[in-house]
Amino acid sequence: MPILAAFPVVLDLLCIIHVYRTGRPQWWYFVIVGFPVIGALAYLFLEVLPQAGGTRVAKRVIKVINPGAELKARINDVERCGSVANKAALADELISSGQFDDAINLYKSCIDGLHADDPSLIFGLAEAYFYKRDGDNALATLDRVIAIDPWFRAGEAKLLRARTLSSTGRSEEALAQYEAILEHFPGEEARCRYASLLAGLGRVEQAGRVLAEAEKRMSLKGRQYARDNREWLSGPRKDIEAERQPA
């Protein structure tokens, strides 16, 4: 099916999935299905974009239709202007495309001179190492970020540090890192990842209590908070259920 012909179907489907996953009002199903494309665009502009910064959903649609479009755009930006901001945006897209070594090299080229202690660039480098599964370099780089800004982006560096420790088998250190940020990290991602790790270690009852706390917090903080954090619940639920299944 030609790309242009497939676009309306893909757009409608993505919006329907988003309605389901985020708990938006169910009448949006009828709007999207009853008015193809127009209904989906109305959903994006009226319901999603005002709360998501206006870019994330659109980028997901573009990636489905033309997976290399964003990467090409970032390359063009760097060719037109080799600023640190453009290089960092390209490096971030390289991570999304699985080109981790190129992203690492590009981030390293940015972390120099005036930008030698830029926590955003150093954190980007740490992410590239993390997704490359280079735990040692990821941890060393995250420690640089934390030394510069202990609560960088409300704790994102510490959260990624916990994930890195977990991925390298240093489970007890990972648990301690999660526990240190639970009460300060915004949203429920840290708490849900903590519950998943506990479940994976066989601490199912404790994992269940942590997950229940996340669910309780979501119910108390309102519908928008619940929508923003709903996606994090599925992982620990599956992990806990898997551990409870008889061998």
Side-chain angles (χ1 to χ4, degrees):
M1 180 182 294
I3 291 177
L4 290 178
F7 177 78
V9 177
V10 173
L11 179 61
D12 289 349
L13 181 59
L14 286 175
C15 289
I16 289 171
I17 292 172
H18 193 268
V19 172
Y20 173 76
R21 288 183 174 178
T22 60
R24 256 65 175 190
Q26 293 187 1
W27 52 262
W28 275 114
Y29 292 130
F30 301 101
V31 173
I32 295 168
V33 174
F35 303 92
V37 180
I38 294 175
L41 291 175
Y43 173 72
L44 291 176
F45 283 103
L46 297 177
E47 184 75 22
V48 179
L49 298 185
Q51 300 166 357
T55 59
R56 185 168 56 184
V57 173
K59 285 184 177 180
R60 286 179 179 175
V61 172
I62 292 172
K63 281 181 180 292
V64 171
I65 302 301
N66 187 356
E70 189 71 16
L71 180 58
K72 292 176 182 177
R74 300 289 75 78
I75 292 173
N76 290 337
D77 288 343
V78 172
E79 289 176 346
R80 285 194 295 267
C81 175
S83 65
V84 169
N86 283 347
K87 287 181 179 180
L90 173 57
D92 185 62
E93 190 59 33
L94 287 168
I95 293 175
S96 298
S97 302
Q99 301 177 55
F100 307 124
D101 287 328
D102 289 337
I104 288 168
N105 291 332
L106 195 53
Y107 270 123
K108 284 182 175 179
S109 74
C110 294
I111 303 171
D112 189 25
L114 294 174
H115 301 282
D117 293 323
D118 187 322
S120 294
L121 295 174
I122 301 171
F123 181 75
L125 177 60
E127 284 189 307
Y129 280 129
F130 171 77
Y131 288 109
K132 187 188 174 185
R133 300 182 185 277
D134 185 345
D136 290 339
N137 276 317
L139 288 171
T141 308
L142 287 167
D143 286 342
R144 285 181 62 189
V145 178
I146 295 168
I148 295 169
D149 183 354
W151 284 99
F152 172 75
R153 291 183 189 167
E156 280 192 40
K158 291 184 177 181
L159 175 62
L160 186 59
R161 191 175 189 278
R163 295 176 62 191
T164 305
L165 288 167
S166 177
S167 69
T168 55
R170 298 162 64 175
S171 301
E172 292 302 321
E173 293 178 72
L175 290 173
Q177 181 71 82
Y178 278 122
E179 290 163 2
I181 66 174
L182 285 184
E183 299 306 318
H184 307 285
F185 194 85
E188 301 305 316
E189 179 182 1
R191 186 170 274 99
C192 288
R193 290 190 183 279
Y194 177 49
S196 285
L197 178 57
L198 287 168
L201 294 173
R203 305 180 190 180
V204 180
E205 295 306 316
Q206 185 180 358
R209 291 194 295 271
V210 173
L211 178 59
E213 175 65 17
E215 294 171 332
K216 178 181 177 181
R217 287 164 57 89
M218 288 172 58
S219 67
L220 293 175
K221 292 194 174 187
R223 292 181 61 187
Q224 187 56 53
Y225 185 85
R227 290 172 180 173
D228 292 341
N229 289 274
R230 193 184 306 277
E231 63 181 301
W232 304 117
L233 296 176
S234 61
R237 282 173 177 167
K238 291 178 182 177
D239 294 332
I240 292 171
E241 184 63 27
E243 290 296 319
R244 285 176 173 166
Q245 294 293 329

